[in-house]
Amino acid sequence: MDAVSAPWEVLAVCLLLLVASAVTSQRAARLPWLAGIALMVGVTLFASDGRVAYAAIGVTALLHAVTAARFTRTGSAVLIVSAALAAATALTLAAGHTTAAFALSCVLLAVRAGVLPFHIGVASLCERAPVVQTQQLATTLALVFVHLRFVAHEAEAVALAQPLVRYGVAAAFAAALLSLVQKDLRGLYRASTALHAGLLLAAVGAASLHNFAAALLVAVAMMLALGGLGITITSLEERVGPVDFTQHGGRVHALPTLAACFGLFAAAGVGMPGTAGFVADDLLLHTLWMQSPAATVGAIVSAALLAVASLTAYSKIFLGRRTTRLLAPDLSLRERAVAVMLLAALVILGFAPGTLLHPADEFLDEPVQAHVLKVDPAVKR
């Protein structure tokens, strides 16, 4: 399979998330901003120079900051900080300081994905601007692609692989514990995002040992599942208001499609068979095992705890005695279309992960081969 298809496939997932947020939010006034973000994502994925790619990531962060400013000052400020980190990464690459560039890129990933304790900006977006959070998930996926392409192949990345793996899993485990004590739906969404972010950082850390495609699939599965979950939560709260777990359930009777979508996206996030999450978790665990068996166990326990928290939330929100006073309509046609597209992407990659893994392996291994030849030209025969 032609390696050039890898950035196109990632671009398709990014655009799907951006379009999904626009369709469900019905805010046409923001379409010019989304068009600008989509353009910068394209520049990021197809740039042949890491400096240009990180500069484009910085521009997307600034665009997100503008759209988030009316909802959350904290989220907007953190996005501006992430833009500065992206600019600093571009400058260090220009100066040839690859170790500093790798470190800055890892911090940038932690901030944009929401890894504990760098999660304050993402937590604020999940709480106050979930639509913007879905949009920035798309550009975070582009950031993962750029990180894997331009800085994860350096010797410093290999040396720091094990510490990153352990830190990522530890952060994910802490978020899993937090998910068990949440009292409302937004809290569960914040904790779930932080948990997936920790596992993503662990996958990106281990990617330096020639596991680039596995890390990319983990990122794609995470963005699709969390994006779908965020859109579903927004749709539910537009109908019934803020949801806490002390309220009566029974909403499944009035909102069966919405309940099904919530359950499927939550399940995909914890590795439901038949979805991209299952394949991504399998590849992640194999990758982590090579670095740290203890980290592997931690990742498994973290996912299990999140599954318990998600199932408990589902039962409290949707199951139980019928709520006769709930007159809100189920998902509209456009909302169903968005949910079907996101679920279809998860299922397609679940049954045919090679459509992404093979081209990603070929594309992301090119910098590694170039680096090896640069260090030892005799390798080429």
Side-chain angles (χ1 to χ4, degrees), residues 71-72 121-130 133 184-187 189-190 237 242:
F71 303 105
T72 162
V122 169
S124 183
L125 291 174
C126 290
E127 177 69 27
R128 300 182 180 274
Q133 167 61 11
D184 57 56
L185 195 51
R186 290 292 178 95
Y189 184 42
R190 295 194 302 268
E237 292 187 340

Side-chain angles (χ1 to χ4, degrees), residues 26 42 49 57 64 82 106-107 111 117 119 123 180 196 226 232 235 240 295 299 339 357 370:
Q26 284 188 312
D49 191 322
I57 285 293
H64 290 314
S82 71
C106 287
V107 175
V111 171
H119 67 297
L180 295 175
H196 285 290
L226 287 178
T232 305
S235 298
V240 302
L357 291 175

Side-chain angles (χ1 to χ4, degrees), residues 222-247:
M222 167 188 168
M223 305 312 171
L224 288 172
L226 287 178
L229 187 63
I231 288 172
T232 305
I233 290 173
T234 301
S235 298
L236 176 62
E237 292 187 340
E238 286 177 350
R239 288 160 170 79
V240 302
V243 178
D244 65 67
F245 300 150
T246 62
Q247 300 171 350

